Amino acid sequence: KEELEGYYYPIPKRDDFVSIFTNLNDNPYLDTNTKEQYLRYGRKDHPDYNKHHYLTDILGLVPKGQRGLVYQNIVYLSLEEFLSVPSDVEGYGLDFGYSNDATVITHHKIVNNRVYTRCLLYKLGLTIADLSKEMERLQIPKNAKIIADGSEPKSIDDLFFNYGFTNIVGCVKGANSVQIQTEWLKSNYKFHDCLDETLESKMLEWENFTYKYAVDRNGDNLNKPDDSRSQCSILNKRVKPDNIQDARRYFVYTHFNPKVQVIKTGSSSKPYLEI
């Protein structure tokens, strides 16, 4: 039941409708090798493990919740509950922005397979000097683990060398990194998000219910998140629904990706892949 949490078998609501549900397990003509290639996505010990892809595209189950949402069944908790979570792994995600997109800072605690997230900052128009003041206001320690958007190495180096945040690094990026990393997070972790009365908290909840998969012209989901702008009643403007989601992804994926190290010689933000 825990493995199937958030997914269900499609059952018709009409009594006069006949439904026959089958998947690869019911196909007597499917050869063993082909079947094994598909089943590997459901094995946690296999490098291709992808729970969402396995349960939906291969087994044919339907995710609960609003159609197309990237993150299903997020559990919400209070600030007091978030603060009481033990910090086995703790750190911050940072997504840079300025005029069109907000600068975002997220605080994360990770215990076993659960990611606890609190959004601390969501502001437009911040320079790096402004950002450093906000980080000091939020009492983020200078030696705190911070994983930031790796596409802005100058900003990362500025915070590292000029403002003393000595444990800030750039996130892992590459071809299809958003799609690959998002599915990796969903396959390995459950999400618990902190809600209180702050703007940041409201934006976190708004993004969770707005961040969806892109669809084709037939309305079918594509296997990649849609980052197009949506009208946000909280800010009364159209914004992207992935600023907080990106900051979360930067921290969790890069922290746990075993093939990535960060060179601090010359640039604190320069990632490379082990061969």
Side-chain angles (χ1 to χ4, degrees):
K1 291 183 179 179
E2 183 178 354
E3 286 298 311
L4 296 179
E5 182 181 354
Y7 299 83
Y8 63 93
Y9 288 95
I11 300 174
K13 296 180 180 180
R14 291 172 46 181
D15 294 334
D16 61 343
F17 186 87
V18 176
S19 172
I20 300 174
F21 178 86
T22 66
N23 57 36
L24 78 170
N25 293 315
D26 305 299
N27 186 348
Y29 305 105
L30 191 65
D31 66 85
T32 303
N33 289 336
T34 301
K35 185 175 180 179
E36 286 297 319
Q37 289 179 10
Y38 286 110
L39 293 178
R40 73 180 188 270
Y41 292 102
R43 298 196 180 96
K44 288 186 176 181
D45 59 347
H46 196 283
D48 289 337
Y49 173 66
N50 186 324
K51 177 183 175 181
H52 181 74
H53 175 59
Y54 175 69
L55 293 179
T56 56
D57 298 331
I58 295 175
L59 294 190
L61 303 185
V62 181
K64 292 181 181 179
Q66 188 175 346
R67 177 177 172 83
L69 285 181
V70 173
Y71 292 104
Q72 302 278 346
N73 299 312
I74 291 177
V75 175
Y76 292 101
L77 66 160
S78 67
L79 176 59
E80 291 74 18
E81 290 172 320
F82 177 84
L83 294 176
S84 67
V85 173
S87 54
D88 290 357
V89 174
E90 187 170 1
Y92 301 84
L94 172 56
D95 190 31
F96 295 106
Y98 188 67
S99 56
N100 294 321
D101 294 308
T103 297
V104 168
I105 298 177
T106 51
H107 183 194
H108 302 283
K109 297 180 180 181
I110 303 175
V111 182
N112 297 324
N113 69 330
R114 288 174 169 80
V115 176
Y116 297 85
T117 298
R118 181 187 178 200
C119 184
L120 299 179
L121 181 71
Y122 190 102
K123 277 191 177 182
L124 291 161
L126 293 183
T127 64
I128 294 301
D130 295 331
L131 175 58
S132 70
K133 292 178 182 178
E134 292 287 347
M135 295 170 75
E136 291 178 0
R137 177 185 66 82
L138 293 168
Q139 298 182 338
I140 297 176
K142 294 286 188 176
N143 64 344
K145 185 178 184 66
I146 304 171
I147 300 179
D149 184 353
S151 66
E152 295 203 23
K154 183 179 182 299
S155 298
I156 295 174
D157 284 349
D158 206 5
L159 289 171
F160 181 86
F161 291 110
N162 298 325
Y163 294 99
F165 291 95
T166 57
N167 200 16
I168 184 172
V169 297
C171 70
V172 180
K173 286 206 169 185
N176 300 318
S177 59
V178 175
Q179 177 182 349
I180 293 170
Q181 294 177 17
T182 298
E183 295 307 319
W184 183 88
L185 261 66
K186 292 177 60 176
S187 295
N188 290 281
Y189 295 97
K190 297 179 179 179
F191 301 94
H192 298 249
D193 289 355
C194 176
L195 294 187
D196 48 34
E197 297 302 318
T198 62
L199 168 70
E200 290 79 9
S201 170
K202 293 176 182 178
M203 288 306 301
L204 171 58
E205 186 177 25
W206 179 81
E207 283 200 9
N208 287 342
F209 285 98
T210 310
Y211 196 42
K212 299 180 181 181
Y213 284 104
V215 297
D216 60 21
R217 60 184 180 181
N218 297 318
D220 295 324
N221 284 348
L222 301 174
N223 197 27
K224 62 179 181 180
D226 183 359
D227 64 352
S228 58
R229 297 183 185 276
S230 298
Q231 183 65 29
C232 176
S233 59
I234 301 170
L235 302 176
N236 195 29
K237 63 181 298 183
R238 294 182 65 83
V239 297
K240 288 187 175 183
D242 62 353
N243 295 305
I244 300 174
Q245 308 300 334
D246 284 349
R248 186 208 315 257
R249 176 171 54 82
Y250 296 157
F251 180 81
V252 180
Y253 184 86
T254 302
H255 177 82
F256 285 105
N257 191 315
K259 294 185 178 180
V260 174
Q261 296 181 354
V262 179
I263 305 175
K264 289 187 177 180
T265 304
S267 173
S268 64
S269 57
K270 184 179 180 181
Y272 73 94
L273 292 178
E274 285 184 332
I275 303 300

